[in-house]
Amino acid sequence: MLVAPGDATGPRSARMVLRDPNVEVAVLETARGGLLREGLAFERADIGVMLNISPDHLGLKGIETVEDLANVKSLIVETVRRRGTSVLNADDPLVARMARRAGGRVAWFSMNGGVQMPDFLREHIANGGMAVVREAGEDGGTIVVHDRGRRELVMQAADIPATIHGRAAFNIANALAVTAICIAHGVPLLTIRAALGTFQSSFEQNPGRLNVLDAQGCRVILDYAHNPAGLEAIGELVRGLRHRYRRCMATISIPGDRRDEDIFEMGRIAGGIFDELFFREDPSTRGRPGGQIMNLLFEGAVSAGFDPARIHLIAGEPEATRKSLEEARPGDLLVITPTDVNAAWQQVLEFSNHHPAHENQLLAAERSPPSSQNRASAMPGGVVGQRENRMAPSHDVFRCNRRSSEEPAGAAREG
């Protein structure tokens, strides 16, 4: 049930959810801006999750370094009640340091399981602690949970549709975190397998996150990768697929309130991934002169050795999206990173003359044989789903009981 559309990551939106008497479990994304402006909308959480810390939004509201950002975001796990669980990313040093400040029982997740597992995580498991890890192997490896001295297989990463046959590493990492959250909440493992095995990275289920559609013989990926870390994560996927395509193209932008070096870096990363680039900026440049964002992106790409003749500067998202779609040819891969996800998706649909139901039919060349070992069986029943972001940029999710009617200090305004 949709209560209100929009960017609902601040305290006002959280209070709206927590006041609803029909809500039994609240999964709340908590943004940096809301924390700085008003703090949290609750006093205690049952489960607090820290996915990662990346250098985004630096230079804003007194946050100058990633250490400053980590200090602000650590509030989420500090509020976990004594009998609750803090789920932390063992692969991120800034997140790992939060363990000493985290409330409740610490549960780790890591992409480095098996022989790659770090010593502190082995010690944690040996002492009966909980960890959900990815053990390396074909098609993205295997997801395994360690808890209270037991090791149990969850499923093959390739059996999770959102990982694109195990190639989208960031969604494997998200699956690890989600598994840890659900186990901490007491969700049966069979239900977890069924949920992961049926969750699609489709526009209907997860808009703006790795949405795939074939348009006139061109593969289009729509993804809200709006900072360097997010683009690097998409780049890892593209590099794994690029040998299957004639060209890899992208429309790229970044909010204007980011630092010059962040915008430059966005262009540099794009220049190392794609064969043709369409740099754009929105009419709202957040205080920057028109054209400055595109020029910084251009300079970044050229610094990476990218051919300037293959860079297109287009002021306007609809115009840039249209131009990139028109330039794409059969056999190309086009990545679109929109600000207005709904409008961009509609443009792609109109261009493709496809029905949305066809959007996730992967090309035969991208298919890999499904894993036969320990395949999770489809399970009936309802599952509580949550729109999960890729591991970069960082977003935090937590579950808390509906709190009493008293409100935290601070204005109720959420801008």
Side-chain angles (χ1 to χ4, degrees):
M1 178 180 68
L2 178 65
V3 176
D7 184 355
T9 61
R12 186 178 68 179
S13 300
R15 286 192 289 269
M16 184 186 303
V17 172
L18 296 174
R19 286 172 177 158
D20 189 331
N22 296 310
V23 173
E24 296 178 332
V25 177
V27 182
L28 307 171
E29 181 182 356
T30 307
R32 160 212 56 89
L35 283 171
L36 290 170
R37 185 173 59 249
E38 299 183 46
L40 294 169
F42 54 90
E43 293 175 353
R44 291 290 172 188
D46 296 312
I47 301 172
V49 186
M50 187 60 57
L51 297 180
N52 56 45
I53 301 293
S54 64
D56 194 19
H57 297 97
L58 298 184
L60 300 174
K61 297 184 179 180
I63 304 301
E64 302 297 333
T65 66
V66 288
E67 289 77 15
D68 292 341
L69 188 59
N71 188 52
V72 170
K73 285 182 169 281
S74 67
L75 178 63
I76 292 164
V77 291
E78 290 174 20
T79 63
V80 173
R81 62 182 77 252
R82 185 169 58 86
R83 294 186 179 180
T85 304
S86 291
V87 178
L88 302 176
N89 183 355
D91 302 333
D92 187 320
L94 288 171
V95 174
R97 292 176 197 167
M98 296 180 190
R100 58 179 176 267
R101 302 165 62 178
R105 184 191 189 202
V106 171
W108 297 100
F109 68 93
S110 173
M111 292 286 282
N112 298 309
V115 296
Q116 300 174 327
M117 188 180 295
D119 291 340
F120 82 90
L121 195 52
R122 290 185 186 279
E123 182 179 355
H124 174 80
I125 292 171
N127 291 331
M130 185 171 86
V132 181
V133 301
R134 190 277 302 266
E135 295 183 356
E138 293 184 1
D139 298 329
T142 305
I143 297 176
V144 173
V145 59
H146 298 267
D147 193 16
R148 306 187 192 281
R150 296 183 58 190
R151 175 187 180 277
E152 192 163 2
L153 173 71
V154 179
M155 63 196 304
Q156 302 297 122
D159 291 335
I160 303 173
T163 70
I164 307 187
H165 302 293
R167 291 184 175 89
F170 51 82
N171 273 344
I172 298 176
N174 283 330
L176 300 176
V178 168
T179 299
I181 294 167
C182 291
I183 292 173
H185 185 47
V187 178
L189 200 55
L190 287 176
T191 303
I192 296 172
R193 289 183 183 127
L196 291 174
T198 55
F199 180 77
Q200 303 282 337
S201 190
S202 64
F203 183 79
E204 285 74 20
Q205 290 194 20
N206 203 18
R209 302 295 177 183
L210 206 61
N211 306 145
V212 181
L213 186 141
D214 292 332
Q216 306 293 341
C218 169
R219 168 63 45 86
V220 178
I221 295 178
L222 188 95
D223 192 278
Y224 183 65
H226 66 292
N227 62 21
L231 184 59
E232 192 64 73
I234 281 289
E236 182 180 353
L237 173 63
V238 170
R239 291 183 186 103
L241 296 174
R242 67 174 303 119
H243 66 284
R244 306 183 188 278
Y245 296 98
R246 192 174 67 92
R247 290 184 304 172
C248 293
M249 311 161 64
T251 63
I252 302 291
S253 190
I254 185 172
D257 58 1
R258 303 311 197 261
R259 302 173 302 174
D260 286 2
E261 54 263 44
D262 297 327
I263 301 175
F264 182 92
E265 178 67 4
M266 192 80 164
R268 189 195 65 78
I269 293 170
I273 300 170
F274 300 101
D275 304 311
E276 196 87 12
L277 288 169
F278 300 80
F279 289 140
R280 64 168 180 83
E281 63 184 25
D282 300 329
S284 175
T285 58
R286 303 192 185 187
R288 288 184 178 271
Q292 188 177 77
I293 296 172
M294 291 188 295
N295 288 334
L296 285 168
L297 290 167
F298 178 92
E299 292 172 8
V302 172
S303 76
F306 198 87
D307 182 0
R310 292 187 281 114
I311 300 176
H312 311 266
L313 305 184
I314 303 173
E317 181 170 339
E319 294 80 7
T321 300
R322 182 175 63 250
K323 179 64 173 177
S324 63
L325 286 167
E326 289 172 351
E327 291 292 324
R329 297 291 180 266
D332 288 346
L333 173 67
L334 172 61
V335 175
I336 300 174
T337 62
T339 300
D340 188 337
V341 172
N342 291 328
W345 186 248
Q346 188 60 39
Q347 274 190 275
V348 175
L349 288 177
E350 291 172 358
F351 180 83
S352 68
N353 295 318
H354 252 208
H355 189 278
H358 298 154
E359 69 192 55
N360 268 331
Q361 292 181 352
L362 296 177
L363 293 176
E366 287 185 11
R367 293 189 182 276
S368 56
S371 305
S372 59
Q373 180 183 8
N374 298 310
R375 173 175 294 278
S377 58
M379 294 292 294
V383 178
V384 176
Q386 183 245 336
R387 177 184 165 189
E388 182 64 53
N389 290 333
R390 77 164 42 78
M391 294 296 293
S394 67
H395 293 273
D396 319 294
V397 294
F398 47 87
R399 173 192 171 270
C400 61
N401 289 334
R402 191 183 311 110
R403 55 170 307 212
S404 58
S405 60
E406 72 267 21
E407 292 295 330
R413 180 177 178 82
E414 179 180 342

